[in-house]
């Protein structure tokens, strides 16, 4: 996925909070939704945006869908930001 899509997904505070919740382990859509004062369709849309950005993965088990964080995309984004910021060696050039 592209960096632009990742940054767009990370721009929303609800989506960032969902990622914070998922760093502790996988959760169902219902478990995620009950922690926010928004509608189930709104949570579903937030989960879709995160999934489209490849920030989360989903697994269906029976009638439930469980979500878990995909750290590889976050790591790539952090590396890009660190490179953009530059290091001490870049300042000397």
């Amino acid at each position: 996925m592209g960096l632009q899509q990742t940054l767009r997904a990370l721009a929303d505070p609800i989506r960032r909070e969902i990622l914070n919740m998922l760093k502790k382990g996988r959760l169902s859509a219902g478990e995620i939704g009950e922690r926010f004062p928004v509608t189930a369709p709104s949570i579903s849309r937030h989960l879709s945006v995160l999934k489209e950005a490849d920030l989360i993965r989903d697994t269906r088990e029976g009638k439930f869908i469980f979500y878990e964080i995909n750290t590889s995309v976050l790591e790539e984004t952090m590396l890009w930001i660190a490179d953009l910021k530059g290091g001490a060696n870049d300042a000397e050039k």
Side-chain angles (χ1 to χ4, degrees):
M1 292 292 117
L3 181 62
Q4 183 173 345
Q5 196 170 17
T6 301
L7 294 175
R8 183 177 76 86
L10 293 172
D12 187 278
I14 290 179
R15 291 194 283 269
R16 290 193 306 268
E17 183 56 31
I18 290 170
L19 292 173
N20 275 327
M21 292 166 50
L22 292 175
K23 73 182 179 183
K24 298 173 188 159
R26 71 184 200 144
L27 295 168
S28 70
E31 291 170 320
I32 294 167
E34 66 190 22
R35 298 185 191 182
F36 294 97
V38 297
T39 65
S42 179
I43 291 298
S44 180
R45 179 67 189 137
H46 285 299
L47 291 169
S48 292
V49 171
L50 289 169
K51 187 175 171 189
E52 288 168 10
D54 207 23
L55 290 166
I56 62 172
R57 297 183 181 122
D58 64 347
T59 306
R60 180 175 291 278
E61 292 182 16
K63 64 179 185 169
F64 297 101
I65 299 176
F66 290 92
Y67 295 89
E68 61 187 334
I69 197 166
N70 178 10
T71 56
S72 64
V73 172
L74 290 170
E75 289 168 357
E76 290 173 19
T77 303
M78 290 179 354
L79 287 172
W80 178 80
I81 290 170
D83 185 53
L84 182 65
K85 178 182 172 193
N89 293 336
D90 290 342
E92 294 172 3
K93 292 181 183 178

